[in-house]
Amino acid sequence: MTEHKPEKKVCVFCGSSFGVDPNFSKSASELGVLLSNNNYGLVYGGGTTGLMGCVAKAVASNGSYVHGIIPEALVSKERKNLDEIKKMNEELKESVENHRGATPLDDSYGKTTIVPDMHTRKRMMAQEADGFVAMPGGFGTLEEVMEITTWSQLGIHAKPIVLFNIDHFYDEFIGFLGNCVAKGFISPENGTIISVATTPEEVISKLQSYKVPEGRFNLSWKNQ
């Protein structure tokens, strides 16, 4: 299938595990199809297991752009052709490690870029993407969505951020953020930086209708 050039690219943060609810992976695949159908490309963390794999394969198999960005430290030690892969920036065909074991990468998940560290990975994803979506995940997913939200608050970017609250997964987290606003640690304006969606269709709608909140910092980040 020929890859078509997207109008915009969305960075999706999510788990490399499937979770215990089958609707997590179902919703991830549905979101991937909708992203492609709405001419969005995908930027993500480069894994092919769990929700990462579901959304990436759905976008790629539907003919749209997928770019996985993975730190070198996560590449499996079994990598005979790593130097050549780096030099040619070809798709990674070996395996990468996650908390559950090996995460193989192949052409069906788009192109892959190997970077030296996690900071480079997150910076590249943020720079390439025109918006961000967080699906269910663990520590890494929470860290990524919180960092990109903080960057918005500080004025580093003004891109949409959508929390995909599949089957109430993020209810407690949303409540925590509301409590931060109520207790005076987040302003009411900055409390709206993150939009919340409960269906794949609503994710697309929130990306397209996002309005940058008032009251954010307007700082200079020339060195970012």
Side-chain angles (χ1 to χ4, degrees):
M1 183 179 293
T2 302
E3 178 188 283
H4 65 259
K5 184 177 180 180
E7 289 183 359
K8 293 185 177 182
K9 301 167 191 172
V10 173
C11 178
V12 175
F13 305 127
C14 59
S16 58
S17 297
F18 291 99
V20 298
D21 186 345
N23 198 38
F24 292 156
S25 56
K26 178 176 178 291
S27 297
S29 296
E30 290 174 351
L31 176 62
V33 172
L34 280 177
L35 286 172
S36 181
N37 288 346
N38 284 273
N39 206 23
Y40 287 106
L42 173 69
V43 182
Y44 81 116
T48 63
T49 62
L51 302 191
M52 274 192 184
C54 291
V55 67
K57 192 161 191 176
V59 176
S61 63
N62 211 35
S64 197
Y65 172 93
V66 176
H67 184 192
I69 302 170
I70 189 165
E72 183 176 358
L74 293 180
V75 179
S76 171
K77 295 178 181 179
E78 302 295 328
R79 56 182 196 262
K80 297 179 181 178
N81 299 319
L82 181 59
D83 291 337
E84 182 180 354
I85 293 171
K86 285 181 181 178
K87 183 177 179 180
M88 302 300 294
N89 195 27
E90 296 176 348
E91 290 84 2
L92 178 62
K93 298 182 184 296
E94 303 297 328
S95 63
V96 298
E97 297 174 349
N98 62 31
H99 61 282
R100 291 200 167 203
T103 303
L105 295 174
D106 59 47
D107 292 346
S108 62
Y109 296 88
K111 73 174 184 176
T112 301
T113 297
I114 303 172
V115 295
D117 51 52
M118 291 290 286
H119 297 294
T120 304
R121 173 206 229 177
K122 291 187 292 182
R123 184 172 64 250
M124 284 186 65
M125 291 195 298
Q127 289 174 339
E128 184 172 0
D130 298 292
F132 305 91
V133 175
M135 294 193 300
F139 289 135
T141 302
L142 285 173
E143 187 271 338
E144 287 169 329
V145 71
M146 282 290 87
E147 182 171 61
I148 209 66
T149 301
T150 302
W151 287 5
S152 177
Q153 177 181 310
L154 295 176
I156 295 174
H157 74 85
K159 303 171 183 178
I161 303 170
V162 181
L163 198 66
F164 189 5
N165 190 25
I166 304 170
D167 286 355
H168 305 283
F169 179 83
Y170 280 115
D171 280 1
E172 289 83 2
F173 178 65
I174 294 168
F176 166 76
L177 295 179
N179 191 49
C180 289
V181 173
K183 300 299 184 182
F185 290 99
I186 298 176
S187 71
E189 293 81 9
N190 285 333
T192 65
I193 290 175
I194 298 177
S195 295
V196 179
T198 58
T199 66
E201 293 80 8
E202 193 177 8
V203 170
I204 301 299
S205 176
K206 291 295 179 71
L207 286 171
Q208 294 175 340
S209 63
Y210 187 81
K211 290 182 173 55
V212 181
E214 299 290 336
R216 301 180 316 135
F217 291 107
N218 185 21
L219 305 179
S220 175
W221 298 95
K222 295 180 180 178
N223 294 325
Q224 289 295 321

